[in-house]
Amino acid sequence: MKPKVSFEFFPPKTDEGLEKLINVQQKLLKKNPEFFSVTYGAGGSTRDRTWTTVMKVREAGIDTAPHLSCVGQSREELVELIDKYKAAGISRIVALRGDLPSGMGHARSELRYADDLVRLIREVSGDHFHLEVAAYPEMHPQARSFSDDIDHFKRKIDAGANSGVTQYFYNAEAYGFFMEQLEKRGVTAPVVPGIMPITNYANLVRFSDSCGADVPRWIRKRLEELQHDEASLKDFGEEVVTRLCERLLAMGAPGLHFYTMNQAVANLKVIDNLGL
Ligand code: FAD
């Protein structure tokens, strides 16, 4: 069976941005994605824009999953949104803890961790939603230890999540090791690697540092060297990410989830190279 692909968007700030996103989506539709997903700003900062984007993106007739994060939100606010998505016929949610801006801690959060959110969604909507949760083959930056983090992933599955989507990474072996550790704990839920195409040096390094994704030294050094030669950098990025995906699929990854950054070309090139 051919592996499935899915595409993640962030909610644009303007109507014009949303129109552009729909043009991008039209191009990605050629790859027959399993679903699209739309991110959610922690503390509900993109609440309305995520809703509007989800409603627009789903018009193409493909499953569209809102992300939902619990930090900085009251239980009541979360239940209201879960009910609203259910009533609108949404059938998949990416359930997360989220990150509040530094200094805000968890003060306003009634739910502390993503497994609390998974439990809440199951409590108020039963089996209605397919629930995706985040996984970290290179360990979440705040985790006490690697094995603790894997136990926490298991906790989310035990709470009722159906599957995982990983943070992006460029070390295929980290995914293999993560999956082995899950197997040892009896977790059989599918975990789809999150794929971040490489199109820019500075953005990738900055973002990776903040979310705990490792950009291996040889990739970092090569990107640094090519940072002022956009075409060569993109070619190199395409090759690196294509090889990574080939390796992940050979290792048995059930699909690939692309962090599109609301762009089509770099994602499509990799998927074309893979013959998907
Ligand atoms: P959790 O699973 O709750 O884990 C958070 C940390 O707490 C981990 O270190 C874990 O080991 C630890 N932990 C969990 N349970 C416990 C416990 N009981 N006791 C002690 N420690 C515990 N962010 C957004 O704001 N919006 C988005 O739309 C968004 N989409 C994402 C999509 C994907 C696929 C991924 C991988 C990440 C996404 N993020 C998003 C980022 C995410 O919100 C952050 O990584 C956040 O820091 C953790 O969220 P989580 O759901 O993984 O949290």
Side-chain angles (χ1 to χ4, degrees):
M1 209 171 68
K2 275 204 168 180
K4 295 275 188 190
V5 294
S6 51
F7 297 111
E8 181 171 314
F9 297 138
F10 60 84
K13 289 197 172 96
T14 59
D15 290 348
E16 197 194 347
L18 188 53
E19 282 313 311
K20 276 191 192 152
L21 179 62
I22 296 306
N23 285 335
V24 166
Q25 184 198 17
Q26 290 302 322
K27 295 178 186 142
L28 297 173
L29 277 169
K30 279 184 266 170
K31 296 300 173 188
N32 194 20
E34 187 183 12
F35 67 95
F36 291 101
S37 79
V38 181
T39 61
Y40 186 78
S45 55
T46 66
R47 189 187 166 105
D48 295 341
R49 283 193 281 124
T50 297
W51 168 271
T52 309
T53 307
V54 166
M55 292 304 139
K56 187 77 185 164
V57 166
R58 75 187 297 223
E59 285 175 12
I62 304 282
D63 228 3
T64 302
H67 293 208
L68 181 58
S69 63
C70 60
V71 285
Q73 304 260 269
S74 69
R75 191 178 188 282
E76 199 184 338
E77 282 169 320
L78 291 166
V79 170
E80 191 189 313
L81 201 46
I82 296 161
D83 286 346
K84 202 168 145 191
Y85 279 128
K86 186 177 174 190
I90 295 296
S91 59
R92 190 187 279 258
I93 289 180
V94 183
L96 303 146
R97 183 196 72 178
D99 290 309
L100 280 184
S102 56
M104 286 181 73
H106 295 285
R108 293 190 294 122
S109 312
E110 284 182 52
L111 281 66
R112 276 200 82 163
Y113 295 108
D115 62 312
D116 298 325
L117 179 60
V118 169
R119 232 170 273 113
L120 176 67
I121 298 173
R122 288 289 176 238
E123 188 190 315
V124 301
S125 61
D127 287 337
H128 176 79
F129 293 104
H130 177 106
L131 296 181
E132 310 270 355
V133 286
Y136 301 86
E138 294 180 330
M139 200 180 107
H140 184 268
Q142 292 157 1
R144 276 185 300 239
S145 69
F146 198 91
S147 41
D148 233 38
D149 205 29
I150 296 173
D151 290 340
H152 291 318
F153 179 78
K154 178 179 185 313
R155 197 169 294 150
K156 293 191 274 194
I157 298 295
D158 292 346
N162 302 92
S163 47
V165 179
T166 77
Q167 179 60 278
Y168 71 88
F169 56 89
Y170 297 104
N171 297 296
E173 298 313 319
Y175 174 77
F177 183 75
F178 186 80
M179 295 310 292
E180 277 168 32
Q181 296 302 309
L182 289 183
E183 203 182 323
K184 281 185 185 157
R185 287 162 171 79
V187 178
T188 54
V191 179
V192 174
I195 305 297
M196 178 72 89
I198 300 175
T199 56
N200 181 291
Y201 167 70
N203 290 349
L204 184 76
V205 168
R206 185 168 12 91
F207 193 51
S208 302
D209 286 345
S210 70
C211 70
D214 180 46
V215 181
R217 181 178 158 84
W218 70 275
I219 298 179
R220 206 181 263 248
K221 287 289 171 197
R222 184 72 180 134
L223 293 176
E224 189 181 349
E225 196 178 316
L226 296 174
Q227 63 182 306
H228 302 299
D229 178 354
E230 196 184 327
S232 304
L233 185 142
K234 286 183 173 169
D235 285 349
F236 173 68
E238 182 186 329
E239 194 181 337
V240 167
V241 175
T242 301
R243 285 193 200 185
L244 170 71
C245 293
E246 279 169 355
R247 180 91 187 91
L248 292 169
L249 294 175
M251 288 164 88
L256 300 167
H257 179 78
F258 286 83
Y259 292 104
T260 67
M261 306 309 283
N262 291 5
Q263 303 291 325
V265 177
N267 303 284
L268 288 173
K269 280 186 175 171
V270 170
I271 299 170
D272 284 341
N273 293 343
L274 295 168
L276 297 178

